Amino acid sequence: MTVTGSGSGQPQFISSTGNRSLSNAPLIENSESNQIVVPDRRSWKNLFAYMGPGFLVSIAYIDPGNFETDLQSGAQYKYELLWIILVASCAALVIQSMAANLGVVTGKHLAEHCRTEYPRVSNFILWIIAEIAIVACDIPEVIGTAFALNMLFNIPVWIGVLLTGLSTLILLALQQYGVRKLEFLIAFLVFTIAACFMAELGYAKPNAKEVVKGLFIPELKGSGATGLAISLLGAMVMPHNLFLHSALVLSRKIPRSVRGIKEACNFYMIESAFALMVAFLINVCVISVSGAVCNSSNAEDQLSCQDLDLNKAAFLLRNVLGKWSSKLFGIALLASGQSSTITGTYAGQYVMQGFLDLRLEPWIRNMLTRCLAIVPSLIVAIVGGSAGAGRLIIIASMILSFELPFALIPLLKFTSSKTKMGAHVNSTMISTVTWIIGTLIMAINIYYLITGFIKLLIHSHLKVVVKVFLGILGFSGMAIYLAGITYLVLRKNTEATHLLALTAPENQQMTNEQGNGSIYSLPREDIVSMQLPQRSSPADLD
């Protein structure tokens, strides 16, 4: 039985009503809505139906921003900041799983929950912050793509920045070939990048004891290390990823039964764990290779590591790739930047649709975000060259870390609320761990802001009156920042989720009576119609 919405021909519910042919069917892609239907059966093979969203999200953990911060960490502090990668990866697994659970259980992604939960002014401010985070995420993609074009075709960095607006349209055009093909393409790119750096790790031969020590013994020596640690956190646990993951899981049509929802949550966590493990290994390899090469006794390597940035990092792969290191590293960097652009475009669509109930064509949305990212990137590339552009990537990653609480706190509050998650609410242990993680991230950010601002005022050569004015302005901004975080933490949730009836245990018998409980999809039309565009067919033209 198919029940359609009033204004759309796309199915909102699909129930087997006693016919088991659908439940035993293989994984299929719905031709109308481009959604993947998960078979209603007990089998580990269902895991393959859920594979995809985690890899799309994980590409943000190995984008040009991650490469830049990893290279700087290894070059300046050797292996001392590896523990940040370990902590951030573990935190990311918990947080991303929570984001996926929110979408699976409630049928709404994070931005939509924010719109229904918060007052109009608060919702608008959260939207602005989310948009700034997406632009900050896009800056490393712009600069990384410009560096890749410089390596491949010797195009000046500032011209490459201008060309990034056009290059992304090519990859966006590939969306018409469907969700599954795009997910496999990005997974292939992830493993390609991993293979290059893991192979180089064998040649660089970092000290195993020092690597293990860096992974498990926390150290932050000086404000420079704290700044890089914040950049690593921002590059690993990005705020826009929380909005993205909670929405991407809606691309699957899952059985809306207690077992089906529980299975979806478990399989999404397994998929996220696998994808994040790959991203973790890549980040560890990049830092280890950079730390081993830049701190070796080789004078040529030490000279190459001075003012190291993405545009000069290809020499790190020369043992594996030889004279092709620059070209192949450029291809990997281009693939990373362009893949991250797609995830950023998705996140922008869901953020705008969720907060404002407004949707734009993907290419229009991408160009708007890209133009906002191109302006500062172009200015810095012209004035500061590739070194200045590399520093801009670090600053953008720090901005992401500062903005993380404004996406993380709502996610923690929503997934810890029984009125929204019902039987799938976070356990006490998970809630405690995630609140500790969130508190530590916020504490590091606030500590760095206060200490860095005070040092800036003390060591500046400005007049006393100007220092006082800047001090009042700066500390007022910090007070507003803290007030916003406090508001999100203390405000109680008021809105219940209307889909709880489908997940409550007492309704399991009802769904089984309708024919083995295979109710699919969600009672909404907007998310179904916001999938990747399909190629035109003769039926579409009639």
Side-chain angles (χ1 to χ4, degrees):
M1 178 179 67
T2 302
V3 182
T4 61
S6 58
S8 172
Q10 295 170 334
Q12 297 303 302
F13 286 97
I14 302 178
S15 178
S16 61
T17 60
N19 185 352
R20 299 198 59 86
S21 61
L22 177 62
S23 63
N24 294 324
L27 172 67
I28 62 171
E29 191 169 308
N30 187 290
S31 61
E32 291 187 50
S33 64
N34 199 27
Q35 287 187 323
I36 294 171
V37 179
V38 179
D40 186 24
R41 64 190 179 193
R42 291 179 180 271
S43 173
W44 63 268
K45 294 180 181 179
N46 283 2
L47 175 62
F48 295 104
Y50 293 104
M51 297 288 282
F55 279 96
L56 282 171
V57 171
S58 72
I59 201 71
Y61 292 83
I62 47 173
D63 70 346
N66 289 93
F67 285 159
E68 179 68 29
T69 53
D70 290 347
L71 291 170
Q72 296 292 343
S73 299
Q76 297 180 34
Y77 298 97
K78 207 171 181 180
Y79 316 120
E80 292 178 8
L81 297 181
L82 279 172
W83 66 275
I84 294 288
I85 300 297
L86 177 61
V87 171
S89 297
C90 294
L93 175 59
V94 177
I95 294 169
Q96 295 296 162
S97 297
M98 289 168 52
N101 292 350
L102 181 68
V104 168
V105 174
T106 68
K108 290 183 179 180
H109 55 79
L110 180 57
E112 291 175 321
H113 279 287
C114 289
R115 188 180 78 216
T116 57
E117 182 64 45
Y118 296 112
R120 181 174 298 180
V121 175
S122 302
N123 181 73
F124 183 77
I125 293 173
L126 288 175
W127 170 67
I128 293 295
I129 292 173
E131 292 289 357
I132 293 173
I134 292 171
V135 173
C137 175
D138 205 43
I139 286 175
E141 272 70 280
V142 169
I143 296 175
T145 301
F147 284 165
L149 294 175
N150 178 260
M151 294 178 197
L152 295 172
F153 308 109
N154 295 321
I155 297 174
V157 173
W158 68 272
I159 294 179
V161 168
L162 290 175
L163 292 176
T164 55
L166 298 176
S167 64
T168 56
L169 296 180
I170 298 174
L171 202 54
L172 285 173
L174 298 177
Q175 295 179 65
Q176 64 178 318
Y177 294 100
V179 176
R180 211 59 174 156
K181 297 180 180 65
L182 189 61
E183 290 172 346
F184 278 127
L185 171 63
I186 290 178
F188 173 76
L189 296 175
V190 169
F191 283 109
T192 300
I193 298 169
C196 289
F197 276 99
M198 288 180 182
E200 179 61 29
L201 193 65
Y203 286 91
K205 292 182 173 61
N207 188 297
K209 290 183 179 179
E210 292 183 13
V211 171
V212 173
K213 179 184 175 182
L215 277 172
F216 295 102
I217 299 181
E219 285 184 311
L220 283 177
K221 296 180 180 178
S223 60
T226 305
L228 264 179
I230 291 175
S231 298
L232 286 170
L233 280 174
M236 288 291 292
V237 191
M238 296 182 177
H240 79 282
N241 261 4
L242 307 185
F243 297 104
L244 178 65
H245 205 170
S246 63
L248 284 177
V249 296
L250 300 176
S251 65
R252 269 67 175 165
K253 290 191 175 190
I254 66 170
R256 299 299 298 177
S257 61
V258 175
R259 179 186 60 78
I261 291 175
K262 184 177 180 180
E263 178 189 76
C265 292
N266 291 336
F267 280 154
Y268 276 129
M269 184 178 68
I270 294 172
E271 188 225 4
S272 295
F274 182 64
L276 289 174
M277 182 181 68
V278 175
F280 166 75
L281 293 175
I282 294 174
N283 283 286
V284 169
C285 286
V286 175
I287 293 179
S288 300
V289 168
S290 176
V293 173
C294 293
N295 293 279
S296 67
S297 57
N298 189 310
E300 183 181 352
D301 287 339
Q302 292 182 2
L303 182 64
S304 300
C305 286
Q306 293 180 1
D307 296 323
L308 181 65
D309 56 46
L310 282 176
N311 206 27
K312 304 174 183 176
F315 80 94
L316 295 173
L317 298 177
R318 64 189 176 195
N319 290 320
V320 174
L321 304 176
K323 64 180 182 179
W324 291 96
S325 62
S326 178
K327 301 298 182 185
L328 294 182
F329 182 76
I331 292 173
L333 190 59
L334 184 65
S336 172
Q338 296 302 288
S339 300
S340 299
T341 293
I342 285 184
T343 62
T345 301
Y346 286 174
Q349 286 179 277
Y350 293 125
V351 162
M352 183 171 286
Q353 177 267 337
F355 280 109
L356 304 181
D357 197 21
L358 176 65
R359 281 167 281 175
L360 295 176
E361 291 292 331
W363 71 270
I364 297 177
R365 168 73 217 188
N366 176 264
M367 290 304 294
L368 288 175
T369 305
R370 184 49 50 102
C371 288
L372 291 174
I374 281 176
V375 173
S377 303
L378 182 62
I379 294 173
V380 171
I382 293 175
V383 175
S386 61
R391 285 192 290 270
L392 182 60
I393 292 179
I394 300 294
I395 294 172
S397 298
M398 293 175 70
I399 291 173
L400 291 172
S401 181
F402 294 142
E403 292 196 353
L404 181 60
F406 296 96
L408 179 58
I409 293 174
L411 177 65
L412 297 182
K413 295 289 291 287
F414 297 156
T415 53
S416 300
S417 171
K418 284 189 177 181
T419 61
K420 293 185 182 295
M421 299 289 289
H424 303 278
V425 68
N426 292 338
S427 66
T428 302
M429 185 184 70
I430 292 295
S431 294
T432 302
V433 169
T434 49
W435 277 110
I436 291 174
I437 291 170
T439 302
L440 289 175
I441 292 174
M442 288 182 279
I444 293 174
N445 289 341
I446 293 168
Y447 168 79
Y448 182 79
L449 279 175
I450 294 175
T451 56
F453 187 68
I454 291 175
K455 288 180 180 179
L456 179 64
L457 290 179
I458 293 175
H459 296 293
S460 65
H461 300 287
L462 301 173
K463 294 181 179 180
V464 177
V465 177
V466 178
K467 287 184 178 181
V468 171
F469 175 77
L470 291 177
I472 294 174
L473 191 65
F475 283 110
S476 297
M478 292 181 199
I480 294 173
Y481 179 78
L482 289 173
I485 292 176
T486 304
Y487 168 78
L488 293 176
V489 170
L490 297 180
R491 187 185 186 279
K492 294 183 178 180
N493 295 328
T494 59
E495 299 294 328
T497 302
H498 70 282
L499 290 178
L500 283 181
L502 293 178
T503 66
E506 58 267 21
N507 288 280
Q508 186 175 15
Q509 182 178 358
M510 179 190 71
T511 57
N512 287 338
E513 291 174 355
Q514 291 180 345
N516 71 39
S518 57
I519 295 181
Y520 281 89
S521 191
L522 305 167
R524 313 174 43 208
E525 297 180 4
D526 50 354
I527 291 297
V528 174
S529 62
M530 258 187 66
Q531 303 305 314
L532 301 180
Q534 295 293 299
R535 287 171 289 180
S536 298
S537 64
D540 298 329
L541 301 177
D542 293 339

